[in-house]
């Protein structure tokens, strides 16, 4: 499972890269996830929008990947927006106070 | 990974052994999750145990050195009526266990694993040994349940447990829904109100007061960054003690900068939770020591237009994601309202200024003498064009007798109604003191004394020039209050004189003294009184007319025998050509006498 291909979908809307289909962000796939998004983040993109509605598991490595992307976005005066995280994921974001870093949107 | 038969202890146990690889962790966790569910552990609790175990396994695998990777990691899960115990065993060098674990800085990408374990599991013990380490994590079950699967099912306890689970979820959803509802309804209400409200300052206060109510926070400070300024100024605060001094936004910030400035410059929320994140000298820390909260930069489009700080005493409220979202929504909404209000105010100011200018223009126009007096043997012509709607320039011609006249030209430094008012007063004073006209210097000194207090009070001054023309003796007496020189041709237009008697502008020195100069007025002489808008007039190439060019033109007029009226038309045509399509940027006024 290490380094397995992430089945995420990427779309560009204006200056935002939209990421969809994230099922989990764990130690096993966090780096691959981060790298896949970084590669897709062309110079004209500055915001990253990640749909977490289908994500059932998020651990500290997954958080690390999100923070790393947050730093990349900030470097471009952009931001990371997390869309509709499910209750267990939202709890972890709040427990680690990550809701202070990311914009969490209910859509 | 191999699943070992569960060894019955008190309650039920699950033993797993997995290879030291990150990819092995998730499948193992799925088995643990199924086991816990089978033991009647609720969704939320099982998810939390799963995460704690994931962090423990990841930690063990990441700490393992290459020589130790062949050794498996053991997991033992024990579950009884009251407690869940998770145990991992690894063969890594281990790590120094700390009894208290805090969160790393927000931008740190790692270091949250132990914090999560600590937070999710009630009791955690780390046993470090020479060849193996054991991490034991225990938590009390949310609700005591029968341990045997046979006894579970549709029992009352089971239903109660499920009810409890659902209650958690419903409470969380209700909180979020109510936040959304409250912010939406508040926004609709305020949106309708702000259109009607004449006093805009009251409306944001009410909105922010409601924000405190919704979020459970105790205080707020809203600062604005006015357009073109670099100071964050308090616009509204929940209590007088928070009406803090303005904060200057520097070129760059450092950690010692006030948190509101940091949030505005970095364009990111800045949290002060725990309170230690607020530097001791921060204005917020001084005003509300020991508070927790956040500073949110307020945007209008891409522009930071201010900051909104919301705070409370520790333990009073917890700013959850839903509440933070409400703060953001309120701030966005407020920003739109504030900017709209600013536009409305500017439009209103524009109308007021327009009205003021109209009045002032009316006053000024009424000053200009409609028909210039006729005198035997000389012709007179004047011109006055204001750069803006109203300028401070005017001229006057006061007939004193059949053979004498007083010429006056003046430039009031200022604009709008005040300048126009002083022009009126000056004109009236000079007309009232017309008997002094043969001694124009004395007249200026008197006018200066009469106007001095009023002028200096509003920090205005006036330049003026008086020329007493006596045709009986063919001479002129000239006095000046800091005005441009008077130009006069001599010897039938072949020579000229620049007359510039000494004198300070009116309103500068209370006892100012004025000199006079008496000049013969030859036949065919041309006299020009003007304001600096004439000599400073620039053509499209940026060249000014200047005094010399003006003098040459005046001489030519004398040589050609052109009347004052004709010369006025010539000069106006010249000025218009200079101006081209540009907007006039200074008043242009002159008075011509053809002798």
């Amino acid at each position: 499972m290490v380094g397995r291909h992430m089945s995420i979908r990427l779309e560009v809307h204006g200056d935002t890269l939209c990421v969809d289909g994230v099922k989990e962000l764990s130690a096993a796939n966090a780096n691959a996830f981060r790298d896949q998004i970084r590669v897709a983040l062309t110079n004209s993109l500055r915001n990253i929008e990640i749909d977490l509605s289908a994500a059932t598991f998020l651990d500290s490595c997954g958080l690390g990947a999100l923070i790393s992307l947050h730093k990349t976005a900030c470097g471009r005066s952009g931001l990371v927006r997390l869309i509709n995280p499910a209750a267990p994921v939202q709890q972890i974001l709040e427990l680690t106070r990550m809701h202070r870093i990311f914009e969490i949107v209910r859509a | 990974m191999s699943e070992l038969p569960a060894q019955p202890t008190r309650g039920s146990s699950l033993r797993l052994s997995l290879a030291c690889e990150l990819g092995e962790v998730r499948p193992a966790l799925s088995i643990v999750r199924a086991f816990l569910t089978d033991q009647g552990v609720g969704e939320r609790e099982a998810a939390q145990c799963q995460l704690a175990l994931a962090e423990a396994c990841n930690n063990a695998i990441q700490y393992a050195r290459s020589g130790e990777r062949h050794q498996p990691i053991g997991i033992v899960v024990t579950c009884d009526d009251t407690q869940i115990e998770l145990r991992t065993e690894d063969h890594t060098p281990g790590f120094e266990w700390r009894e208290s674990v805090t969160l790393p800085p927000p931008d740190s990408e790692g270091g949250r694993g132990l914090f999560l374990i600590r937070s999710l599991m009630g009791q955690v013990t780390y046993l470090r040994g020479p060849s193996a380490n054991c991490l034991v994590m225990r938590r009390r079950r949310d609700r005591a349940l029968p341990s045997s699967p046979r006894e579970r099912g549709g029992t009352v306890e089971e239903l109660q447990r499920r009810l409890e689970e659902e209650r958690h979820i419903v409470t969380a959803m209700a909180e979020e829904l109510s936040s959304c509802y409250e912010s939406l309804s508040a926004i609709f209400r305020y949106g309708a109100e702000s259109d009607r409200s004449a006093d805009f300052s009251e409306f944001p206060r009410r909105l922010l007061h409601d924000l405190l109510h919704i979020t459970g926070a105790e205080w707020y400070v809203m600062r604005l960054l006015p357009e073109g300024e670099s100071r964050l100024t308090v616009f509204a605060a929940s209590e007088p003690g928070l009406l803090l001094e303005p904060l200057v936004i520097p070129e760059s910030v450092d950690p010692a900068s006030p948190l509101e400035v940091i949030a505005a410059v970095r364009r990111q929320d800045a949290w002060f939770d725990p309170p230690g994140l607020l530097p001791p000298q921060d204005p917020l820390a001084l005003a509300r020591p020991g508070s927790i909260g956040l500073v949110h930069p307020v945007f209008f489009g891409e522009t930071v237009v201010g900051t909104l700080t919301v705070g409370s005493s520790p333990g009073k409220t917890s700013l959850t994601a839903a509440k933070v979202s409400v703060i953001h929504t309120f701030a966005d909404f407020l920003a739109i309202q504030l900017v709209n209000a600013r536009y409305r105010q500017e439009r209103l100011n524009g109308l007021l200024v327009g009205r003021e200018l109209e009045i002032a223009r009316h006053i000024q126009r009424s000053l200009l003498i409609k028909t210039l007096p006729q005198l035997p043997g000389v012709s007179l012509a004047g011109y006055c064009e204001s750069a803006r709607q109203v300028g401070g320039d005017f001229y006057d011609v006061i007939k004193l007798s059949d053979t004498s006249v007083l010429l006056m030209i003046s430039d009031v430094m200022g604009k709008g109604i005040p300048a126009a008012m002083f022009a009126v007063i000056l004109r009236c004073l000079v007309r009232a003191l017309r008997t002094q006209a043969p001694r124009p210097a004395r007249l200026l000194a008197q006018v200066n004394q009469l106007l001095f207090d009023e002028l200096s009070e509003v920090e205005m001054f006036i330049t003026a020039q008086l020329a007493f023309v006596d045709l009986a003796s063919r001479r002129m007496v000239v006095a000046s209050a800091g005005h441009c020189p008077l130009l006069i041709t001599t010897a039938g237009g072949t020579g000229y004189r620049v007359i510039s008697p000494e004198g300070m502008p009116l309103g500068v020195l209370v006892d100012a003294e004025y000199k006079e100069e008496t000049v013969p007025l030859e036949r065919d002489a041309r006299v020009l009184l003007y304001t600096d808008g004439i000599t400073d007039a620039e053509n499209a190439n940026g060249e000014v007319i200047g005094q010399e060019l003006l003098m040459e033109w005046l001489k030519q007029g004398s040589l050609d025998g052109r009347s004052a009226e004709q010369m006025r038309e010539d000069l106006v045509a010249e000025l218009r050509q200079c101006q081209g399509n540009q907007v006039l940027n200074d008043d242009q006024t002159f008075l011509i006498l053809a002798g």
Side-chain angles (χ1 to χ4, degrees):
Chain A
M1 288 239 297
V2 176
R4 70 175 176 169
H5 177 69
M6 293 274 300
S7 59
I8 55 173
R9 287 183 299 278
L10 301 172
E11 270 180 49
V12 171
H13 292 289
D15 57 1
T16 302
L17 179 68
C18 300
V19 186
D20 195 4
V22 183
K23 294 202 172 55
E24 65 169 67
L25 279 179
S26 67
N29 70 359
N31 287 351
F33 171 80
R34 181 197 62 204
D35 296 343
Q36 198 176 339
I37 292 180
R38 279 218 183 125
V39 167
L41 208 62
T42 52
N43 284 339
S44 61
L45 300 173
R46 57 196 193 106
N47 299 317
I48 306 169
E49 205 170 274
I50 304 172
D51 188 326
L52 288 180
S53 56
T56 53
F57 187 78
L58 172 71
D59 68 12
S60 62
C61 296
L63 284 174
L66 292 178
I67 292 165
S68 156
L69 291 173
H70 165 74
K71 287 198 243 176
T72 307
C74 283
R76 301 175 177 208
S77 303
L79 50 81
V80 171
R81 200 176 281 132
L82 305 179
I83 314 289
N84 292 339
V89 170
Q90 167 105 359
Q91 279 166 13
I92 300 310
L93 290 171
E94 290 193 4
L95 188 61
T96 52
R97 299 186 188 152
M98 285 297 109
H99 63 293
R100 301 175 178 188
I101 300 281
F102 304 112
E103 191 180 332
I104 298 176
V105 179
R106 297 267 153 213
Chain B
M1 183 179 61
S2 58
E3 189 172 347
L4 306 176
Q7 287 187 354
T9 56
R10 264 187 334 116
S12 300
S13 286
L14 170 76
R15 283 171 180 269
L16 296 172
S17 173
L18 60 141
C20 192
E21 282 178 24
L22 287 174
E24 288 282 297
V25 178
R26 286 288 286 145
L29 294 177
S30 300
I31 296 170
V32 171
R33 180 75 177 261
F35 169 76
L36 289 172
T37 306
D38 202 39
Q39 299 303 308
V41 176
E43 284 282 312
R44 185 164 166 272
E45 201 172 10
Q48 291 178 350
C49 290
Q50 194 186 12
L51 179 56
L53 196 56
E55 296 297 343
C57 293
N58 292 343
N59 222 13
I61 294 166
Q62 281 161 347
Y63 272 101
R65 293 179 296 208
S66 56
E68 296 151 355
R69 292 200 178 275
H70 66 281
Q71 304 211 58
I73 291 170
I75 297 176
V76 182
V77 183
T78 311
C79 184
D80 64 24
D81 290 356
T82 57
Q83 170 175 282
I84 302 168
E85 182 185 284
L86 309 171
R87 193 181 279 258
T88 60
E89 195 176 294
D90 67 67
H91 302 278
T92 67
F95 57 90
E96 280 300 320
W97 179 253
R98 280 169 295 145
E99 278 309 314
S100 90
V101 184
T102 50
L103 271 175
D107 60 349
S108 166
E109 290 173 34
R112 289 179 185 80
L114 289 179
F115 174 83
L116 281 172
I117 293 172
R118 278 266 183 207
S119 307
L120 298 170
M121 304 301 288
Q123 186 196 347
V124 185
T125 317
Y126 185 62
L127 308 165
R128 193 177 182 188
S131 61
N133 313 294
C134 186
L135 182 67
V136 184
M137 304 169 278
R138 292 194 189 99
R139 67 181 275 165
R140 296 191 70 76
R141 291 185 61 170
D142 282 353
R143 195 174 179 86
L145 286 173
S147 58
S148 160
R150 283 192 310 278
E151 293 171 32
R152 290 189 295 109
T155 61
V156 174
E157 288 82 358
E158 171 68 0
L159 289 174
Q160 274 181 340
R161 186 192 60 74
R162 290 206 173 150
L163 204 62
E164 189 64 18
E165 289 261 314
E166 297 299 324
R167 204 181 58 76
H168 272 298
I169 295 168
V170 169
T171 309
M173 285 171 70
E175 189 200 339
E176 187 158 336
L177 202 64
S178 92
S179 298
C180 292
Y181 169 75
E182 293 213 45
S183 40
L184 255 183
S185 66
I187 281 167
F188 279 128
R189 187 153 35 92
Y190 291 126
E193 254 181 49
S194 71
D195 283 343
R196 291 196 303 270
S197 172
D199 177 13
F200 184 73
S201 60
E202 186 50 35
F203 150 72
R205 282 187 186 93
R206 281 216 306 284
L207 185 129
L208 293 168
H209 179 79
D210 282 11
L211 179 64
L212 292 189
H213 174 71
I214 295 170
T215 56
E218 292 174 321
W219 55 267
Y220 72 81
V221 181
M222 173 126 198
R223 289 183 186 264
L224 292 183
L225 184 59
E227 210 175 342
E229 287 187 24
S230 56
R231 281 168 17 130
L232 278 168
T233 310
V234 173
F235 168 72
S238 54
E239 55 197 47
L242 287 167
L243 295 169
L244 305 167
E245 291 296 312
L247 292 172
V248 176
I249 304 236
E251 289 290 317
S252 62
V253 289
D254 56 58
S257 302
L259 209 58
E260 290 158 289
V261 169
I262 291 176
V265 171
R266 295 197 180 144
R267 303 162 68 88
Q268 279 175 16
D269 283 2
W271 286 78
F272 46 104
D273 180 10
L277 287 178
L278 217 47
Q281 289 309 309
D282 193 291
L284 294 171
L286 295 172
R288 275 297 213 142
S291 286
I292 57 165
L294 90 154
V295 186
H296 172 63
V298 183
F299 288 91
F300 182 72
E302 292 288 307
T303 314
V304 174
V305 294
T307 57
L308 172 60
T309 307
V310 175
S312 69
S313 313
K316 264 290 196 197
T317 183
S318 161
L319 291 177
T320 58
K323 287 177 181 173
V324 171
S325 168
V326 174
I327 294 171
H328 288 181
T329 310
F330 268 55
D332 290 348
F333 172 71
L334 205 50
I336 293 169
Q337 296 301 319
L338 287 169
V339 172
N340 277 346
R342 195 188 289 167
Y343 285 152
R344 278 202 294 269
Q345 191 59 44
E346 277 169 11
R347 210 170 55 206
L348 187 65
N349 288 348
L351 287 175
L352 289 175
V353 168
R355 179 74 188 134
E356 185 190 353
L357 287 175
E358 201 181 308
I359 295 169
R361 185 178 175 77
H362 188 71
I363 297 172
Q364 198 201 22
R365 283 283 145 204
S366 70
L367 287 180
L368 293 176
I369 186 164
K370 305 227 169 16
T371 344
L372 297 186
Q374 298 296 309
L375 288 167
V378 295
S379 64
L380 283 163
Y383 173 80
C384 179
E385 183 67 28
S386 297
R388 292 169 296 275
Q389 262 179 303
V390 174
D393 283 13
F394 78 99
Y395 65 84
D396 196 14
V397 180
I398 307 164
K399 190 171 177 181
L400 304 164
S401 71
D402 287 345
T403 55
S404 61
V405 71
L406 180 68
L407 308 180
M408 162 152 105
I409 191 159
S410 171
D411 185 353
V412 183
M413 301 302 164
K415 57 183 179 178
I417 289 181
M421 294 302 289
F422 275 106
V424 171
I425 296 167
L426 175 61
R427 184 173 182 267
C428 292
L429 277 178
V430 172
R431 280 181 170 255
L433 297 169
R434 62 169 64 186
T435 52
Q436 313 254 14
R439 302 298 311 274
R442 191 189 295 167
L443 199 158
L444 280 178
Q446 262 187 293
V447 168
N448 179 53
Q449 281 178 350
L450 290 166
L451 279 177
F452 181 80
D453 286 345
E454 284 75 15
L455 279 172
S456 52
E457 194 171 307
V458 289
E459 293 182 338
M460 282 170 74
F461 65 93
I462 302 174
T463 71
Q465 190 173 58
L466 298 180
F468 169 70
V469 182
D470 181 21
L471 292 172
S473 60
R474 297 293 301 183
R475 64 186 183 96
M476 272 197 325
V477 187
V478 181
S480 172
H483 199 81
C484 309
L486 175 148
L487 305 181
I488 181 168
T489 59
T490 56
T494 54
Y496 69 89
R497 286 183 68 183
V498 175
I499 314 297
S500 185
E502 244 176 74
M504 300 282 263
L506 307 173
V508 174
L509 205 65
V510 68
D511 291 324
E513 286 181 9
Y514 297 90
K515 295 270 168 61
E516 272 174 7
E517 201 167 335
T518 304
V519 192
L521 182 66
E522 300 171 9
R523 303 237 167 246
D524 301 323
R526 297 293 180 272
V527 180
L528 180 71
L529 293 80
Y530 63 94
T531 59
D532 53 11
I534 305 291
T535 39
D536 293 348
E538 275 183 21
N539 63 18
N541 299 326
E543 296 156 349
V544 296
I545 290 185
Q547 189 180 298
E548 273 185 36
L549 214 62
L550 208 55
M551 202 61 240
E552 287 308 312
W553 165 81
L554 200 64
K555 279 159 69 183
Q556 197 59 48
S558 173
L559 285 171
D560 296 346
R562 292 182 74 73
S563 71
E565 196 73 32
Q566 286 170 326
M567 289 189 73
R568 180 183 67 185
E569 298 312 311
D570 293 345
L571 188 51
V572 169
E574 180 67 28
L575 290 170
R576 295 231 166 106
Q577 202 184 339
C578 265
Q579 192 190 336
N581 292 326
Q582 302 164 59
V583 177
L584 198 61
N585 53 25
D586 199 2
D587 297 350
Q588 294 176 337
T589 304
F590 63 87
L591 191 55
I592 297 172
L593 180 144

